[in-house]
Amino acid sequence: MELVVGYGLILLVIWTPRPWQRWFYWAAIVWILAVVPGSFREWEMGLRRAGFRRSLWIFGAALIAAGIAIAIAARLGTLHFPPSTGRFLLGFLSYGVWAFVQQFLLQDFFLLRLLRLMQSAIAAVAIAVGMFTLAHLPNPVLTPASLLWGTISCLVFLRYRNLYTLGMAHAVLGITIAITVPGPVVHNMRVGLGYMTYRAPHHRNQIAQTVSTDAWVMAEAATRRSETAPRRSEITTRRSLRQARP
């Protein structure tokens, strides 16, 4: 019941339009906060320091993958950053919190309950990863990325039982996707109904347009002046000849 209601509320948040989405959002938070304390075990929830150093390699692997992706995006010309360093740091920090929340839901809320219900850990991981992946539909970039990362993070969690390194690695990989994949392709990291209703912004550089228009007008004026200059000279010459006649 905890799994069905919790996952159902999450799907409603993803696929319900506003203003009803907000009500389902708070309902999901209240439900999760209500059922988590009843099964809380610090050693099992991954909130302890043990296993942090041993699992820190996953964060290093995420940094290496991010560096490779950034280098490829820079060569392809798809690398983009926020307009200021402050906004980039703020976005990284806020997404880092959201990445940790996602890992908490995947490992502590879904995987641990599935481990009690399923006869094998492999079946529990497969179902948890499937739920995690379905929640990222229909985004063509985040869905396969969620399938891959969900599998890796669940297996790493079963070995080390630490959420901190997984949240850190998730944050690095998510930010990497955001700055290497064009926004219109990944729909600004949206999923569900938000992905379906996304409309790419049409940015028009008015300054550049004005400059180019002024340049065109100036060029046209110069061309017209050059074309009319011989005619004016001819008219002036004729007038001079007429005035010189007796």
Side-chain angles (χ1 to χ4, degrees), residues 5-100:
V5 175
Y7 190 65
L9 288 173
I10 290 174
L11 291 182
L12 286 174
V13 173
I14 294 174
W15 288 99
T16 302
R18 296 178 180 179
W20 300 281
Q21 182 188 52
R22 184 174 303 173
W23 294 102
F24 289 122
Y25 172 80
W26 288 109
I29 292 179
V30 171
W31 177 260
I32 293 173
L33 292 179
V35 301
V36 163
S39 59
F40 180 83
R41 295 178 184 174
E42 186 178 2
W43 66 270
E44 192 178 31
M45 300 289 282
L47 301 178
R48 56 178 185 153
R49 291 181 297 176
F52 178 81
R53 292 184 178 180
R54 292 187 296 120
S55 63
L56 197 58
W57 65 268
I58 191 66
F59 177 64
L63 290 176
I64 294 175
I68 296 174
I70 290 174
I72 295 174
R75 187 168 185 83
L76 295 177
T78 61
L79 186 63
H80 55 281
F81 294 96
S84 64
T85 305
R87 290 187 60 181
F88 178 77
L89 294 177
L90 180 61
F92 188 89
L93 291 176
S94 60
Y95 186 81
V97 174
W98 173 233
F100 185 84

Side-chain angles (χ1 to χ4, degrees), residues 115-208:
L115 287 171
R116 302 187 187 103
L117 296 174
M118 299 294 105
Q119 296 181 354
S120 67
I122 298 299
V125 169
I127 296 176
V129 172
M131 297 170 69
F132 184 66
T133 304
L134 289 176
H136 289 81
L137 288 173
N139 195 302
V141 177
L142 296 184
T143 300
S146 300
L147 177 62
L148 178 60
W149 171 246
T151 303
I152 295 174
S153 62
C154 283
L155 296 178
V156 172
F157 180 79
L158 290 180
R159 182 175 179 83
Y160 302 105
R161 296 298 177 108
N162 191 286
L163 281 181
Y164 300 114
T165 52
L166 293 177
M168 292 162 56
H170 186 156
V172 169
L173 296 175
I175 292 295
T176 300
I177 293 176
I179 65 176
T180 56
V181 181
V185 175
V186 76
H187 286 199
N188 285 355
M189 307 288 284
R190 297 184 182 184
V191 298
L193 187 63
Y195 179 89
M196 302 294 292
T197 58
Y198 172 81
R199 294 293 182 270
H202 298 283
H203 298 290
R204 298 184 62 183
N205 193 335
Q206 297 181 353
I207 297 177

